[in-house]
Amino acid sequence: MNVEMRYLHTFRVVCEAGSLRAAAGLLHRTEQAVSYQLRKLEEALGMPVLQRGGGRLVPNAAGERLLAFCQEMGRDWEKLHEEIRAASPVVPLRISTVSGFGRYQLLPLFRDGPLADIPIRMRYPTAEDVVRHVESGACDLGFVHRMDTHARLSHTPVDAEEIVLIASPHVASTLALDAPSLRNAGYVSYDESDYVFATWFTQVLGMNMTNLNTVAHFEELEEVLDWVAAGRGISIVPASCMAEHEARGEAVALRKPQARCRNTIYAVLNPHHHHAAIERTLQAVRERAQF
């Protein structure tokens, strides 16, 4: 059984807040994102842990035991965190990055890769906010998927990701990679999708397509992938995001062999802000990508 820590944190917040809406506000996520994580937690456990009670979401018997575990773990973690901080007051590396690259390419380097010893604070805003965070000093390092001209910041290429059109196996079997078929399809969009969609259409079809039929819109890629896997629409995402869905046979990446879409990832740097771990992070990103 593999349960992600963030799902346990979401479960605890929902129990303490009493509703998806209240929890979403505390977690700064959409209600759909919170609901998705709860569903994934229950799938991993193989049992429900929440029930409705008097209009509130409350833990059932199994959920009560899980909540006690989460609360105890939280107290242990806070104690450990304070002890570590007192022994070695290391300043965390503050990173702002677009979601697809950050969650699926960058985070593993810090979780269980060559940067696992570096404490971090990572956030996943839009590309525009990444630039603002680095410019203001709210973050030490940023990653975006497009080059912007900025007088006070530098944009350094460090990686390149493949962007793919994805669909459920059933939808993929009926979909042709040509303008007429794709113009009539239903799309699941997300906060960065305008740029990503335009890049794919331009590189693969040689033209951009606007006024697409959007059947759903989400902030996070997790919900996009979930809807595509359910056959509720198609989308265009970084290939690394859908590897697990593809491995489980829930989604298919549709590619034209001679027209694959590649997009450069840029590190956003402010020359007036310094952190000892920045250069090491950039080097690890380049080595992983062989860039």
Side-chain angles (χ1 to χ4, degrees):
M1 179 179 66
N2 183 19
V3 177
E4 294 195 31
M5 294 293 292
R6 58 193 172 124
Y7 295 168
L8 294 175
H9 177 62
T10 296
F11 168 73
R12 176 180 172 179
V13 173
V14 168
C15 290
E16 293 174 350
S19 72
L20 290 180
R21 177 175 295 180
L26 293 171
L27 293 166
H28 304 291
R29 298 176 69 86
T30 63
E31 289 184 48
Q32 293 93 334
V34 174
S35 177
Y36 173 86
Q37 293 195 356
L38 291 176
R39 187 168 69 254
K40 287 298 182 182
L41 173 62
E42 291 182 329
E43 288 176 1
L45 294 172
M47 65 184 71
V49 291
L50 287 167
Q51 64 186 10
R52 289 280 178 186
R56 291 172 54 87
L57 273 177
V58 296
N60 59 19
E64 289 283 2
R65 296 185 64 184
L66 181 61
L67 178 59
F69 168 80
C70 292
Q71 291 171 333
E72 184 64 27
M73 182 175 64
R75 287 189 290 270
D76 290 344
W77 169 250
E78 289 173 6
K79 181 180 177 182
L80 176 62
H81 187 211
E82 288 301 321
E83 290 174 354
I84 292 174
R85 211 150 108 185
S88 178
V90 179
V91 177
L93 177 63
R94 301 168 301 168
I95 300 173
S96 185
T97 173
V98 290
S99 179
F101 176 76
R103 291 185 187 279
Y104 298 94
Q105 300 282 14
L106 186 61
L107 190 58
L109 295 176
F110 291 95
R111 185 181 61 226
D112 48 24
L115 305 176
D117 60 306
I118 298 176
I120 59 171
R121 299 288 184 271
M122 194 175 296
R123 57 178 74 178
Y124 305 103
T126 62
E128 290 81 2
D129 283 336
V130 169
V131 173
R132 283 195 286 269
H133 291 160
V134 176
E135 181 181 24
S136 68
C139 287
D140 306 300
L141 176 62
F143 292 94
V144 294
H145 45 39
R146 62 175 181 259
M147 177 96 173
D148 290 323
T149 302
H150 198 289
R152 292 182 294 277
L153 304 178
S154 67
H155 284 64
T156 303
V158 292
D159 198 353
E161 62 183 4
E162 183 185 12
I163 299 173
V164 293
L165 179 77
I166 63 171
S168 68
H170 173 71
V171 173
S173 66
T174 65
L175 190 66
L177 293 183
D178 56 46
S181 296
L182 295 176
R183 194 178 299 279
N184 294 323
Y187 290 83
V188 184
S189 62
Y190 49 97
D191 283 356
E192 296 287 341
S193 62
D194 285 351
Y195 175 82
V196 175
F197 283 21
T199 300
W200 189 90
F201 285 127
T202 301
Q203 289 192 27
V204 176
L205 297 185
M207 58 179 290
N208 189 15
M209 293 202 303
T210 58
N211 299 321
L212 299 174
N213 174 30
T214 301
V215 296
H217 180 89
F218 299 104
E219 292 180 3
E220 298 290 346
L221 285 167
E222 292 170 332
E223 293 78 42
V224 173
L225 298 171
D226 200 36
W227 275 56
V228 170
R232 301 290 298 276
I234 66 174
S235 193
I236 301 170
V237 301
S240 60
C241 301
M242 53 87 62
E244 291 187 7
H245 285 269
E246 191 170 31
R248 293 194 296 264
E250 298 172 347
V252 176
L254 301 174
R255 299 176 173 94
K256 280 191 171 184
Q258 304 306 318
R260 290 197 171 190
C261 180
R262 303 276 294 175
N263 190 53
T264 302
I265 297 294
Y266 298 90
V268 184
L269 301 165
N270 188 327
H272 300 295
H273 300 143
H274 303 281
H275 191 289
I278 288 178
E279 187 53 45
R280 185 178 160 197
T281 300
L282 296 180
Q283 184 61 29
V285 170
R286 294 188 183 103
E287 289 178 357
R288 182 200 59 77
Q290 298 182 344
F291 193 81

